[in-house]
Amino acid sequence: GAGVSQSPSNKVTEKGKDVELRCDPISGHTALYWYRQSLGQGLEFLIYFQGNSAPDKSGLPSDRFSAERTGGSVSTLTIQRTQQEDSAVYLCASSLFTSGGNEQYFGPGTRLTVT
Amino acid sequence: QKEVEQNSGPLSVPEGAIASLNCTYSDRGSQSFFWYRQYSGKSPELIMFIYSNGDKEDGRFTAQLNKASQYVSLLIRDSQPSDSATYLCAVYYGGSQGNLIFGKGTKLSVKP
C-alpha cells in the first residue's frame, strides 16, 4: 500500500516568509507525528496528533510553529516568519498507535532551506 | 530527561562479518524499542522492533533486548556493503504523547 507522503520535497524560502509543509499519512493510521532533523543531528520531536487532536504542543520550538490535522488524515505544519535556524529536514510519521507498541513509519521528508 | 544513547561510530566491518550495534536507554518504564536504518539523504526506515526481553530474528537481523540492563542491540549477520547506513535506536516510553525518543545513530560502514 501507499506509504506516508510529504510535500513539497524541497522548499527554499527567504527569511521572514511563511511556509506550509504537508503530510499525508498511511491510510487508517490514527496517529501522526512531526519531527525535524538538522544536518548531522538526531531527530527532534515536534508534535503528535491522535485523530485531529494534538494533546501536547510543548515540542514545538517556538510560537512561530503551528500544526493542524483535518479529517483524521492530512496534516499541515506551518512556520511563520521563518529564520535561518529553521533550516532542516521536516519528517512526518504515522502509526496505528496501539497500547502494545507504536511502530512509526516515516515519509520522505521536506528539506527546508531558509536563505 | 529521557535519553537514548548510541555510539556514533563509525563502525567498520568487513563484508560477510557480523555487525553489532548497541543502544542504552534511561527509563526503566520503556515499553517498546525500534531500530531504523537511514541512508544518507533519506528518511528513516523501520527495520526491527522488539517489545519483550530476549531475541527477535528477521532474516539477517536480530534485535536483542535486556530490560534489566536497559540495553537493546541489533546484530546484522553476513553484512553487505548495502547495509552501510546510519542506524537509529528509538524508544517508546509510553504515555499519551506517543512520540519516540531517538538516539543520534551509529554510522555503519561495510567494506567489500
Side-chain angles (χ1 to χ4, degrees), chain B residues 65-76:
Chain B
L65 174 60
N66 184 326
K67 288 190 175 183
S69 299
Q70 295 173 237
Y71 178 95
V72 58
S73 64
L74 178 70
L75 301 178
I76 307 174

Side-chain angles (χ1 to χ4, degrees), chain B residues 29-108:
Chain B
S30 303
Q31 296 188 358
S32 44
F33 307 84
F34 305 86
W35 284 99
Y36 287 82
R37 177 175 62 199
Q38 187 172 28
Y39 292 114
S40 182
K42 301 295 185 182
S43 64
E45 173 193 7
L46 180 64
I47 54 171
M48 288 288 287
F49 55 90
I50 186 167
Y51 302 147
S52 304
N53 271 329
D55 294 0
K56 178 182 178 181
E57 187 175 317
D58 183 1
R60 295 186 298 112
F61 298 99
T62 299
Q64 299 176 316
L65 174 60
N66 184 326
K67 288 190 175 183
S69 299
Q70 295 173 237
Y71 178 95
V72 58
S73 64
L74 178 70
L75 301 178
I76 307 174
R77 289 181 301 281
D78 188 24
S79 295
Q80 301 297 309
S82 58
D83 295 326
S84 298
T86 296
Y87 289 80
L88 304 173
C89 174
V91 176
Y92 173 53
Y93 286 94
S96 61
Q97 184 69 304
N99 62 294
L100 303 181
I101 307 295
F102 283 83
K104 292 194 184 320
T106 298
K107 187 169 185 176
L108 173 66

